[in-house]
Amino acid sequence: MNKQAINLKHKLSMINDHWKPRVIAEMNDYQFKLVKVKGEFVWHNHPDTDETFIVIEGSLDIEFREGKVTLEKGEMYVVPNGVEHKPVAHKECQLMVIEPKGVVNTGDKDSELTAQNDVWI
Amino acid sequence: MNKQAINLKHKLSMINDHWKPRVIAEMNDYQFKLVKVKGEFVWHNHPDTDETFIVIEGSLDIEFREGKVTLEKGEMYVVPNGVEHKPVAHKECQLMVIEPKGVVNTGDKDSELTAQNDVWI
């Protein structure tokens, strides 16, 4: 059994791109992912699952068709399944995303921002 | 739909006891819990689920029957299901715990440290 702590800052230091989530841990059939984001993502939703965002550094807007939520460092939010949302980071933001294994970052939308799934660091 | 960010430090400031997890969010059938811990917990395991620990402040040892892992602030670890473990905090430690709804803190063991479940802040 692996007995190594997973250091979030160390793992984030390995990421040099935007919108490409890396898996760092699994719990049952859920995955913990780290991702750096900057700019506007695409409108999408995840019909079958909620999705959790935790801001490690920076600030993230999650826009909805009506209204938005702004997450600062040390804040989290769970986007309910089926709710259309668009993450927007005005400056680079470092995130942890938690969701079931197999969930694609752009949900129901194909996009040039659709990232390869299940990439570990 | 609730559009409020959940601030971890603010929620933790509402907790004034040890080993009593408070729920702050749900994702599908999983819960995010905050808890302050100090001292030695009881040996236990969760036969049916993995359990995730993320250290927000302080330091936590998770002892196993063979060896241990030490988590510092900003580090996480997933204890596999069925693995006996005993959390130990030499000084007060502030934790986020993520696990399926309904999981009891002392797992398979009844103890004076067994906490009421599903208490929200």
Side-chain angles (χ1 to χ4, degrees):
Chain A
M1 191 178 86
N2 172 17
K3 289 180 192 133
Q4 285 259 308
I6 299 166
N7 186 294
L8 304 185
K9 294 277 183 193
H10 175 66
K11 292 287 190 185
L12 280 160
S13 74
M14 300 176 183
I15 300 178
N16 296 303
D17 49 25
H18 293 139
W19 303 113
K20 295 187 178 172
R22 300 326 197 273
V23 182
I24 58 163
E26 278 182 359
M27 165 187 59
N28 303 324
D29 55 344
Y30 281 69
Q31 288 184 329
F32 293 80
K33 304 173 183 179
L34 295 176
V35 60
K36 291 180 179 174
V37 301
K38 189 178 179 188
E40 299 204 357
F41 203 58
V42 291
W43 282 107
H44 69 285
N45 76 85
H46 303 282
D48 300 322
T49 182
D50 303 343
E51 184 177 36
T52 301
F53 295 85
I54 304 177
V55 172
I56 311 294
E57 280 293 340
S59 170
L60 181 76
D61 285 350
I62 305 175
E63 298 185 2
F64 304 107
R65 291 301 184 182
E66 288 189 18
K68 69 172 180 177
V69 60
T70 299
L71 302 182
E72 305 292 345
K73 177 178 175 175
E75 295 187 334
M76 64 177 285
Y77 188 79
V78 181
V79 177
N81 71 76
V83 171
E84 279 201 292
H85 59 284
K86 182 175 77 166
V88 177
H90 299 290
K91 296 179 180 177
E92 183 179 89
C93 173
Q94 304 184 8
L95 287 176
M96 182 150 70
V97 175
I98 309 165
E99 59 198 356
K101 188 172 176 173
V103 170
V104 173
N105 66 334
T106 54
D108 62 323
K109 295 287 185 304
D110 271 332
S111 158
E112 60 185 14
L113 291 171
T114 302
Q116 192 181 342
N117 215 335
D118 204 26
V119 180
W120 285 69
I121 54 173
Chain B
M1 191 179 85
N2 173 16
K3 288 179 193 133
Q4 285 261 309
I6 299 165
N7 186 294
L8 303 186
K9 294 278 184 193
H10 175 65
K11 292 287 190 186
L12 279 161
S13 74
M14 300 176 183
I15 300 178
N16 296 302
D17 48 24
H18 293 141
W19 303 113
K20 295 187 178 173
R22 298 331 196 268
V23 182
I24 58 163
E26 278 183 359
M27 165 186 59
N28 303 323
D29 54 346
Y30 281 68
Q31 288 184 330
F32 293 82
K33 303 172 182 179
L34 295 176
V35 60
K36 291 181 179 174
V37 301
K38 189 178 179 189
E40 298 204 357
F41 203 57
V42 291
W43 282 107
H44 68 286
N45 77 85
H46 303 282
D48 300 324
T49 182
D50 302 342
E51 183 177 37
T52 300
F53 295 85
I54 305 177
V55 172
I56 310 295
E57 280 294 341
S59 170
L60 181 75
D61 286 349
I62 304 176
E63 298 185 3
F64 304 108
R65 291 300 185 183
E66 288 188 18
K68 68 172 181 177
V69 59
T70 299
L71 302 182
E72 306 292 345
K73 176 178 176 174
E75 294 187 333
M76 65 177 285
Y77 188 79
V78 181
V79 177
N81 70 76
V83 172
E84 279 201 290
H85 59 285
K86 181 175 78 166
V88 177
H90 299 290
K91 297 179 180 178
E92 184 180 89
C93 174
Q94 305 184 8
L95 287 176
M96 182 149 70
V97 175
I98 309 165
E99 59 198 356
K101 189 173 176 173
V103 170
V104 173
N105 65 335
T106 53
D108 63 324
K109 294 287 186 304
D110 271 332
S111 158
E112 61 185 14
L113 290 172
T114 301
Q116 193 182 343
N117 215 334
D118 204 28
V119 179
W120 286 69
I121 54 174

